[in-house]
Amino acid sequence: MSKNTELHPLLSISGASCQGCARKIRSALEPLTGDADRVEVNLENQTVSLPDGIDTSEAARAVTDAGYPASPMATSSDTHQPPENDHCHAEKTQPDADAGHKPELKKAESAATDDDQIHLAVTGATCASCVNTIEKALTSVEGITGAHMNLADNTATATGHADPQTLIKAVESSGYGASVIEDPDEADENKQEQDRKHYRTLLVKMAISLSLGLGLMIWGMGFNTMRVTADNQITWITLGILTLGVMIATGGHFYTGAWKAFRHHNANMDTLIALGTGTAWVYSIVVASVPDALPEMARHVYFEASAMIIGLINLGQALELRAKGKTSEAVRRLLDLRAKTARVIRDGEEQDLPVEQVKAGDHIRVRPGESVPVDGEITEGSTRIDESMLTGEPMPVSKGEGDEVSAGTLNTSGSIIYQATRVGSDTALAQIIRLVKKAQGSKPAIGRLADRISAVFVPTVMLIAVVAALVWYNVGPEPAVVHMMVAATTVLIIACPCALGLATPMSVMVGVGKAAEYGALIRQGDALQTAGKLDLVILDKTGTITGGHPAVTRCQATDDDTGRLLALAAGLEQHSEHPLAEAIMAKAKAENVSPVKVSGFEALNGKGVSGELDGEPLRLGNRRWLEQQGVDLAALGKEADTITAEAGTPLFLALGNTALGVIGVADAVKQDSEAAIRRLHDAGIRVMMVTGDVDATARAIARKTGIDDYRAEVLPEDKATIVSEMRGKGYTVAMVGDGINDAPALAASDVGFAIGTGTDVAIESAGITLMRGSLHGVADAIEISRATVRNIHQNLFGAFIYNSLGIPVAAGLLYPFWGILMSPILAGAAMSASSVTVVTNANRLRLFKTSSSASREGNK
């Protein structure tokens, strides 16, 4: 993303959620601006910055036509700029996961997002056409800028500001039912109970309709009485009425759904089923009532077909419902982690209270084998905590006084007392569940293909059925009426777009849940899809490749007085919170050196820190900056080279223009970084490191970890430029970082990975948040993304091939060659099987294991 200081945020947009959206917006505006790079899209603020002189009304229309409602806004120079690093050195990080730190997912952002979204539980939706109709109904409401429905869990989300009751009426006016989801957890429990009841009901309906259909078929085949004669006419009329009663009792929801759709000028799966089974029954009852009105060869009844089709579809829906329940297993496992009670210490007494009654500040005891009820900080005792369900890390982590613990984790050994810091919906677990649910309901770009097809699918199928009927009636063999009816009915039944509507959301739900099991929180559906296409991963150094815990390794003073060197450096660094500053302060404390009092402290981003001592400038920072200030560092060159050869960072100290010495600070490479980078290489991905550290240090780390390329001595604001540069070369780029200064680069990349131990700003700028500070999380997320996208492709291919082959065969394509005309009963079985196949294939993802987990299991 280019940074042009002459740009002004002139458009307000909605619905843009990823870098793919940003590229579409820039492309839509390119005819007006002449260059897409002159447009800046701010996803966080939902604004578009344009060069001066552009007609904002015309630009707003272009963006709206691209699918992102836009309107001109007042000119402002306040283009959102990320906060600068608070320290001179290259990166700012938070402590690593190994130190017991967990990401504090920013609730403010989630709340703000939720305030703009209204969540609905939808009833009556059965196929991709239903999804398209409901989304159109929601977006037609004034104040709603976007909407999407998830057929996998029958929920819809409307983005914008509108009265929920108005949204409910809009859905109902389309022929479906809706209700507002007030409490997601309660809604999940209610839905599970409703699904269990509905499953049992479907099985009962299936048994009744299949029993009748099979009975009629066996009876007809055994006594050759499927044809109406004068002797059995009354019997068939009676059986026809019985069949009608069974059809209404076991398939009434199809007919009421079709009627509602008709009243609202829509067509969906219910329409096709109702037309197909209804046509077969009406034809049969006419034959039974007035057989003489038809040729003798056409006096054949199909009551068994109507009953069996409904029975088979009910069976398919029951199996589909059962399989769909497994797709949300990951969320249920997260929900099961929540403790029901907590042992709270109040007024010196321990008492078991419902977790809802725990307040921030309460002291809680957790004994061995118990789950941690809320987030907090240990005040007494030590233990080992199993955090595998939150971070994907299989080994328990040692915890002691001052360390944080998270709700849902398991205390495996010692007894601890900790103080509650975040309770209820503020806990990390609650926010993880919220993020996972949101991502499971999102729709990646590949899923929108089904939406576009579904908009015209059902009307097209109805037209094909009419054409097939006309062809059979006019040029088909006798009995033409029978062949016409069978062909039209079979086309209508086999073409139901259930599989098409389930192909994407089922895989997304399982894939997002699987990623959460490995500690990767995917915040957007597009990030899930794009991660599988990555061919370049750019890594920040400190806190990403390294542990983020630098320590002083060398001190060399020009006058050999290392104590004074440390005292002066500590005098500057005591004003900073940067990890390098902490390393120097820790060294000074260990050497019992007191910091010198320094005035006028100033941090210069990417350069160093400075202050005043006795009226002279005191500077501590990198070589390039100090040499620019006229300081001669030649005498310290050899020592600095030794530091960098050991993958350390040399920090030079100078008073005025006089060099006082160099301090070497090294940040150890994480134990698993090399293995994780090797996994990325095995996946065909190029790895680059971008750091503000000196070239020699960067080169040493790159050589040690096997990184393909690196950029050193990069200013924080230039990281986003490098990301854009590599994207311009045709790479699909991921940025991995954890610091404030990584936020612009994370936002500018195709997929941003935020190390979860980092800052809120970095986490908010990324599409994927890693709950542990390991690069294995990046490789895991990419493997899961590729598996999920591959699964979606399989589902879509199966759905398209099913309809592409099934509809022509049902219409009678094979009849001229082999005399084969598909039975409506077989069409009903095939349609149900297609939906079950898609859902079952999506559930295969639940068994997926990344190469790292497979390797761990193999080593056991």
Side-chain angles (χ1 to χ4, degrees):
M1 183 183 299
S2 62
K3 299 293 180 185
N4 189 332
T5 55
E6 296 180 359
L7 296 178
H8 303 289
L10 296 174
L11 298 182
S12 173
I13 59 172
S14 61
S17 59
C18 65
Q19 289 304 314
C21 301
R23 285 196 295 274
K24 290 180 183 177
I25 292 171
R26 286 195 288 268
S27 297
L29 291 170
E30 187 172 2
L32 298 178
T33 62
D35 184 359
D37 288 338
R38 299 180 67 199
V39 176
E40 182 177 322
V41 181
N42 190 309
L43 297 175
E44 181 179 352
N45 292 349
Q46 293 288 284
T47 60
V48 175
S49 303
L50 302 168
D52 289 334
I54 300 298
D55 186 329
T56 55
S57 298
E58 191 174 349
R61 281 194 296 272
V63 175
T64 300
D65 291 342
Y68 306 94
S71 59
M73 61 184 293
T75 301
S76 170
S77 60
D78 184 23
T79 54
H80 178 72
Q81 295 294 332
E84 290 191 348
N85 193 341
D86 73 337
H87 194 276
C88 57
H89 305 306
E91 294 101 349
K92 175 177 172 62
T93 64
Q94 298 285 332
D96 186 52
D98 296 336
H101 235 59
K102 286 291 164 293
E104 183 176 340
L105 300 179
K106 195 172 183 181
K107 187 175 189 298
E109 184 274 340
S110 299
T113 301
D114 291 343
D115 287 343
D116 294 335
Q117 293 184 335
I118 302 168
H119 304 280
L120 303 174
V122 178
T123 58
T126 53
C127 65
S129 181
C130 301
V131 171
N132 188 62
T133 300
I134 291 168
E135 289 179 348
K136 283 185 176 179
L138 291 172
T139 53
S140 68
V141 176
E142 185 176 356
I144 297 301
T145 56
H148 70 265
M149 180 186 169
N150 188 345
L151 186 61
D153 62 1
N154 288 318
T155 61
T157 301
T159 303
H161 299 278
D163 180 12
Q165 294 305 316
T166 304
L167 294 176
I168 291 174
K169 290 179 181 178
V171 174
E172 290 176 344
S173 68
S174 301
Y176 305 91
S179 59
V180 177
I181 299 176
E182 299 287 356
D183 184 342
D185 293 343
E186 184 179 347
D188 284 341
E189 293 174 2
N190 292 338
K191 183 178 182 302
Q192 288 179 38
E193 181 60 31
Q194 291 170 2
D195 286 348
R196 283 192 287 267
K197 291 180 180 178
H198 188 40
Y199 174 74
R200 291 192 293 267
T201 301
L202 286 172
L203 289 180
V204 171
K205 290 181 176 181
M206 176 272 297
I208 294 172
S209 52
L210 281 184
S211 296
L212 174 63
L214 284 171
L216 289 175
M217 181 181 290
I218 294 171
W219 179 58
M221 292 173 63
F223 298 95
N224 194 26
T225 54
M226 299 305 284
R227 294 184 182 277
V228 178
T229 64
D231 296 332
N232 62 20
Q233 182 179 8
I234 298 300
T235 301
W236 276 119
I237 291 175
T238 303
L239 289 173
I241 295 172
L242 174 63
T243 301
L244 178 62
V246 170
M247 289 169 63
I248 293 173
T250 63
H253 51 291
F254 298 129
Y255 302 105
T256 55
W259 173 245
K260 288 180 181 178
F262 175 76
R263 283 177 52 216
H264 298 96
H265 312 291
N266 294 320
N268 55 25
M269 186 194 85
D270 291 340
T271 304
L272 299 181
I273 294 173
L275 284 175
T277 57
T279 299
W281 184 86
V282 169
Y283 174 84
S284 300
I285 201 68
V286 169
V287 170
S289 301
V290 285
D292 295 337
L294 295 165
E296 185 174 348
M297 293 180 63
R299 297 172 187 174
H300 192 287
V301 292
Y302 292 88
F303 293 128
E304 87 290 354
S306 296
M308 287 192 67
I309 287 170
I310 289 175
L312 289 169
I313 293 174
N314 280 331
L315 174 60
Q317 288 188 341
L319 296 175
E320 176 188 314
L321 188 65
R322 184 177 181 181
K324 282 168 69 175
K326 297 178 181 178
T327 62
S328 55
E329 181 177 316
V331 172
R332 284 202 297 273
R333 288 173 66 183
L334 287 172
L335 290 171
D336 290 342
L337 290 176
R338 298 176 304 179
K340 299 293 188 294
T341 61
R343 182 171 290 271
V344 181
I345 303 173
R346 290 181 181 172
D347 300 325
E349 295 184 2
E350 296 184 8
Q351 50 184 318
D352 288 326
L353 297 176
V355 72
E356 293 82 9
Q357 296 182 17
V358 177
K359 301 176 182 178
D362 278 342
H363 283 78
I364 302 167
R365 181 183 294 279
V366 182
R367 295 168 295 191
E370 294 181 338
S371 293
V372 177
V374 296
D375 294 356
E377 182 177 308
I378 296 176
T379 58
E380 183 180 325
S382 61
T383 185
R384 294 180 65 82
I385 300 288
D386 181 355
E387 301 176 331
S388 57
M389 274 305 295
L390 288 182
T391 66
E393 179 59 54
M395 297 301 295
V397 181
S398 297
K399 299 281 186 178
E401 292 183 15
D403 288 336
E404 292 187 359
V405 291
S406 298
T409 56
L410 181 66
N411 181 25
T412 62
S413 53
S415 176
I416 58 172
I417 296 176
Y418 75 96
Q419 184 175 19
T421 55
R422 293 183 296 274
V423 300
S425 61
D426 290 339
T427 65
L429 176 62
Q431 294 179 58
I432 288 169
I433 293 171
R434 184 161 55 246
L435 283 173
V436 171
K437 285 183 178 180
K438 180 181 176 182
Q440 286 184 328
S442 64
K443 186 178 298 181
I446 193 173
R448 299 181 189 115
L449 175 64
D451 294 347
R452 291 193 293 270
I453 293 174
S454 66
V456 296
F457 187 81
V458 174
T460 301
V461 168
M462 295 171 68
L463 181 62
I464 292 173
V466 171
V467 171
L470 291 174
V471 171
W472 277 101
Y473 185 75
N474 287 285
V475 300
E478 293 295 334
V481 174
V482 171
H483 288 127
M484 174 188 74
M485 188 274 300
V486 170
T489 299
T490 307
V491 168
L492 291 170
I493 295 299
I494 203 169
C496 294
C498 311
L500 190 62
L502 291 169
T504 300
M506 295 299 295
S507 297
V508 169
M509 286 188 70
V510 181
V512 169
K514 175 61 65 174
E517 290 180 16
Y518 282 88
L521 298 184
I522 296 174
R523 302 178 60 202
Q524 304 150 356
D526 282 332
L528 174 66
Q529 179 180 341
T530 307
K533 303 175 183 176
L534 294 171
D535 47 24
L536 174 65
V537 171
I538 298 177
L539 304 175
D540 172 44
K541 180 180 74 72
T542 306
T544 302
I545 300 173
T546 63
H549 300 291
V552 173
T553 57
R554 288 177 177 268
C555 286
Q556 179 62 54
T558 53
D559 60 0
D560 294 328
D561 189 352
T562 56
R564 180 170 180 269
L565 180 69
L566 271 177
L568 292 171
L572 281 172
E573 296 289 23
Q574 65 183 335
H575 301 286
S576 173
E577 295 180 355
H578 194 279
L580 298 185
E582 293 175 3
I584 291 174
M585 294 302 298
K587 180 67 172 178
K589 183 177 180 180
E591 298 289 337
N592 294 317
V593 173
S594 300
V596 172
K597 187 175 182 181
V598 177
S599 61
F601 174 81
E602 183 180 5
L604 301 174
N605 198 19
K607 298 178 181 178
V609 291
S610 67
E612 285 191 6
L613 180 66
D614 299 329
E616 284 194 87
L618 181 67
R619 301 183 182 95
L620 176 68
N622 61 47
R623 183 170 196 158
R624 183 174 58 179
W625 175 53
L626 286 181
E627 287 182 339
Q628 288 173 351
Q629 303 303 311
V631 181
D632 183 6
L633 301 175
L636 297 169
K638 186 176 180 180
E639 186 69 16
D641 291 342
T642 301
I643 292 170
T644 53
E646 297 171 348
T649 300
L651 300 177
F652 296 90
L653 183 68
L655 182 62
N657 291 331
T658 303
L660 301 180
V662 62
I663 298 175
V665 182
D667 185 8
V669 174
K670 295 177 184 176
Q671 291 182 351
D672 59 1
S673 288
E674 184 179 355
I677 291 170
R678 189 162 52 247
R679 285 180 64 196
L680 293 175
H681 285 154
D682 292 342
I685 296 172
R686 183 177 176 82
V687 181
M688 173 188 284
M689 177 176 67
V690 177
T691 176
D693 215 334
V694 295
D695 183 84
T697 301
R699 183 170 60 251
I701 291 177
R703 184 173 59 250
K704 180 176 182 179
T705 57
I707 288 173
D708 301 297
D709 191 12
Y710 70 90
R711 301 281 182 89
E713 301 181 30
V714 175
L715 295 177
E717 57 267 26
D718 291 334
K719 290 185 179 181
T721 303
I722 293 173
V723 170
S724 298
E725 173 192 333
M726 301 310 294
R727 288 181 58 201
K729 292 181 179 180
Y731 287 102
T732 303
V733 180
M735 175 68 195
V736 186
D738 71 336
I740 288 176
N741 54 34
D742 298 322
L746 289 168
S749 63
D750 292 287
V751 180
F753 288 84
I755 298 292
T757 51
T759 63
D760 285 338
V761 175
I763 291 172
E764 299 310 318
S765 302
I768 300 177
T769 299
L770 305 178
M771 295 299 291
R772 55 186 169 128
S774 170
L775 288 177
H776 276 299
V778 178
D780 288 341
I782 291 173
E783 287 186 25
I784 292 169
S785 168
R786 291 181 175 180
T788 303
V789 172
R790 186 165 56 246
N791 193 272
I792 292 173
H793 283 150
Q794 292 167 354
N795 286 344
L796 288 174
F797 178 79
F800 287 139
I801 289 298
Y802 163 80
N803 284 303
S804 299
L805 297 180
I807 292 175
V809 171
L813 183 65
L814 302 182
Y815 191 86
F817 304 100
W818 296 288
I820 298 174
L821 184 60
M822 183 183 288
S823 163
I825 296 174
L826 180 59
M831 188 273 285
S832 296
S834 69
S835 299
V836 174
T837 300
V838 164
V839 177
T840 302
N841 186 57
N843 271 305
R844 286 193 311 111
L845 278 173
R846 296 190 303 114
L847 307 176
F848 177 79
K849 296 183 184 299
T850 65
S851 58
S852 62
S853 63
S855 176
R856 284 197 300 265
E857 290 182 3
N859 292 331
K860 287 182 179 179

